[in-house]
Amino acid sequence: MSINVVFKKTVMLVLFTFAIILFLFSTSNRVHAMSEPNLALNPNSDKTVCSYVYASYTIGTLWSAVDGNFSYNSFNDRWTDWGSPNNNDWLVIDFGLPTSFNQVKLYLYNDGGDGGVQPPASYDIQYWNGNVWVDTEHQTKTPETPAASVNTLATPMNTLNTVDFDTVVSEKLRVVFTNDFSVVNHENYSGIVELEVYNHSLVSTIAAANVINNAADEGTLAGQYSPGAKAALAAAIGVAREVADGTNVGQTTLDAAEAVLNSAISTFESSVVPLESFYSAFSNKAGDVITLYVSNILDTSYIIDAANFMVNNGSNVPSTISSVSQNELDNTISITLTAPLSGDIASFQVKLLKDAFKTNQGDLSSEIDNIPLIPFSQLDLNNDQRIGIDDLVLLLSGNSSLKDINHDGIPDNTDIQILLKQIMPMSAS
């Protein structure tokens, strides 16, 4: 079964599992588990035991932004900067100690009138690095443009604006609002009914998946990813983000979504075109050099780790390898041994451990077992200490299993081409 068929079937299974999670998510009770608390929550305005809140300008009740209550028609249950002379205003959450976080949820207020309080033109999330305020990296906002339903129709669901970013550790978080002053004499100010801060491991996994997907190239060369792999992982990321950005999602759902996303990442990584299609391994006449023929095209960017190559015949002590090198011109790998092979050379096999090959994109090869070794003597059918066309004619006219060099079950021109490439270098041995 081809890697593309396996990949497609696995993707379908992953996406089906995600569909189940979304169904459970949509029908859950939507109560946050204690293991992932709202780090900003301070229902009693007690700065001695909970987060402390302060802002550049305040109309309304500052503490109501973190009290856990959602009321869109009570003046005392929201923070706004209405009437502020500033283009930008900010609200700070002081955790009182170094705290990890990677997600902020803003439940914006919209009174529906020009010159009142409406969604800001934009907002940014910053953290205090001990000296200055710094923007969090890789902010992903949902929706991209701040939005909220008018207060008479408002609910937590239709006023929620979520931003995910790389996990940071800081004592303070700041939300900077840019007021919408685009219409003269109809300035619109910013306001929130509630602000929540979380440290979701799912958000970190989403960020890691994005990095992997963005760095990958699709194609048919070794080290590239099967066509459609990036779109499939992007779809899985999108579903996971929908779960992570939901309103008060249960911990069980978050954990399930993260598990499925990790599975999608594994599926994506398994779709890489591997440098593991080795036709066969050939020894030279002296038995101290083994040549591996590779089906994929080698690239000079590959890094070979000789420590992850093994040659043995089932004994506990493998042959010692001196060096491993590649030749892009004839698509071969040469393994030089410190001493010639002895005994029944045909009983030896080549094994590649995981990460024997790497590209500038990271790990490339998985573990490859039992690449059969073809001794020089099995090709030198005339026993004249050289390999020529006459040996090839004898080989192809007989019943030798060596006719199927690439082990695909069909002796054909590909096998002959491999033998011809191997014969020419050996003739000089």
Side-chain angles (χ1 to χ4, degrees):
M1 186 176 296
S2 71
I3 188 173
N4 284 332
V5 173
V6 173
F7 169 68
K8 290 177 181 178
K9 288 187 175 180
T10 308
V11 166
M12 291 300 295
L13 177 60
V14 169
L15 293 181
F16 176 71
T17 307
F18 256 129
I20 295 175
I21 288 178
L22 276 181
F23 173 77
L24 294 174
F25 162 56
S26 64
T27 58
S28 70
N29 58 13
R30 295 179 178 174
V31 176
H32 262 294
M34 293 302 294
S35 58
E36 295 209 12
N38 171 12
L39 302 172
L41 183 63
N42 191 340
N44 300 314
S45 305
D46 186 352
K47 64 182 181 181
T48 64
V49 295
C50 297
S51 59
Y52 180 66
V53 187
Y54 56 95
S56 58
Y57 192 93
T58 297
I59 291 292
T61 306
L62 180 61
W63 289 97
S64 66
V66 293
D67 64 0
N69 294 319
F70 294 85
S71 176
Y72 293 86
N73 297 301
S74 172
F75 177 78
N76 291 322
D77 197 22
R78 61 178 176 268
W79 167 86
T80 80
D81 66 348
W82 185 83
S84 170
N86 308 315
N87 288 329
N88 297 288
D89 277 304
W90 46 260
L91 184 148
V92 170
I93 304 293
D94 187 340
F95 302 108
L97 73 167
T99 301
S100 298
F101 52 91
N102 54 26
Q103 184 186 73
V104 170
K105 294 184 177 182
L106 302 171
Y107 299 85
L108 300 179
Y109 183 72
N110 180 2
D111 65 12
D114 288 339
V117 178
Q118 293 193 21
S122 64
Y123 67 90
D124 281 297
I125 308 300
Q126 300 178 331
Y127 69 96
W128 181 250
N129 71 357
N131 296 299
V132 295
W133 290 102
V134 180
D135 288 341
T136 57
E137 295 186 355
H138 302 118
Q139 295 185 33
T140 302
K141 298 173 181 176
T142 307
E144 293 184 4
T145 301
S149 294
V150 66
N151 60 337
T152 55
L153 302 174
T155 67
M157 290 295 293
N158 61 28
T159 60
L160 173 61
N161 289 249
T162 303
V163 54
D164 298 318
F165 44 87
D166 291 352
T167 301
V168 297
V169 179
S170 176
E171 293 188 3
K172 301 176 185 178
L173 172 149
R174 183 167 79 167
V175 185
V176 180
F177 299 92
T178 300
N179 294 320
D180 185 2
F181 290 173
S182 59
V183 180
V184 178
N185 296 324
H186 289 275
E187 294 83 358
N188 292 312
Y189 299 89
S190 303
I192 56 174
V193 171
E194 196 69 22
L195 182 153
E196 298 174 340
V197 181
Y198 295 100
N199 183 37
H200 288 319
S201 60
L202 175 58
V203 172
S204 297
T205 303
I206 290 171
N210 272 320
V211 171
I212 294 170
N213 207 21
N214 292 337
D217 292 321
E218 288 186 342
T220 57
L221 297 179
Q224 295 180 324
Y225 292 80
S226 298
K230 287 171 66 72
L233 182 56
I237 292 170
V239 175
R241 188 177 299 285
E242 185 173 346
V243 173
D245 293 350
T247 306
N248 295 329
V249 185
Q251 185 64 40
T252 300
T253 304
L254 288 169
D255 290 344
E258 184 172 10
V260 176
L261 180 56
N262 278 322
S263 177
I265 293 172
S266 296
T267 299
F268 176 79
E269 291 177 335
S270 70
S271 75
V272 67
V273 179
L275 186 58
E276 53 186 44
S277 295
F278 293 91
Y279 290 133
S280 279
F282 299 83
S283 74
N284 66 347
K285 181 168 62 173
D288 59 357
V289 176
I290 296 173
T291 302
L292 286 174
Y293 276 79
V294 186
S295 63
N296 302 101
I297 298 175
L298 292 170
D299 188 283
T300 54
S301 68
Y302 296 162
I303 299 172
I304 295 177
D305 185 356
N308 285 323
F309 285 75
M310 294 181 63
V311 178
N312 63 31
N313 62 350
S315 64
N316 293 329
V317 181
S319 300
T320 304
I321 295 175
S322 171
S323 64
V324 179
S325 61
Q326 66 182 42
N327 187 334
E328 296 85 21
L329 295 179
D330 60 6
N331 231 42
T332 60
I333 304 293
S334 292
I335 303 173
T336 302
L337 307 175
T338 56
L341 298 173
S342 59
D344 182 11
I345 297 179
S347 68
F348 282 83
Q349 296 177 328
V350 180
K351 179 178 181 178
L352 274 64
L353 303 179
K354 186 178 183 298
D355 301 341
F357 292 89
K358 297 181 182 179
T359 68
N360 54 12
Q361 294 184 351
D363 297 344
L364 178 60
S365 64
S366 56
E367 185 170 303
I368 308 166
D369 263 330
N370 305 328
I371 304 171
L373 180 58
I374 300 175
F376 179 90
S377 60
Q378 286 192 359
L379 295 180
D380 181 20
L381 299 183
N382 281 320
N383 297 315
D384 57 2
Q385 302 303 305
R386 61 175 297 277
I387 296 174
I389 295 297
D390 52 345
D391 297 296
L392 179 57
V393 171
L394 287 173
L395 179 69
L396 296 176
S397 61
N399 295 319
S400 173
S401 61
L402 294 182
K403 292 180 181 180
D404 184 20
I405 294 295
N406 61 359
H407 309 291
D408 63 356
I410 305 174
D412 55 18
N413 287 337
T414 301
D415 302 289
I416 295 174
Q417 291 171 8
I418 298 168
L419 287 169
L420 283 171
K421 289 178 181 180
Q422 180 61 18
I423 286 172
M424 297 310 296
M426 281 192 163
S427 64
S429 296

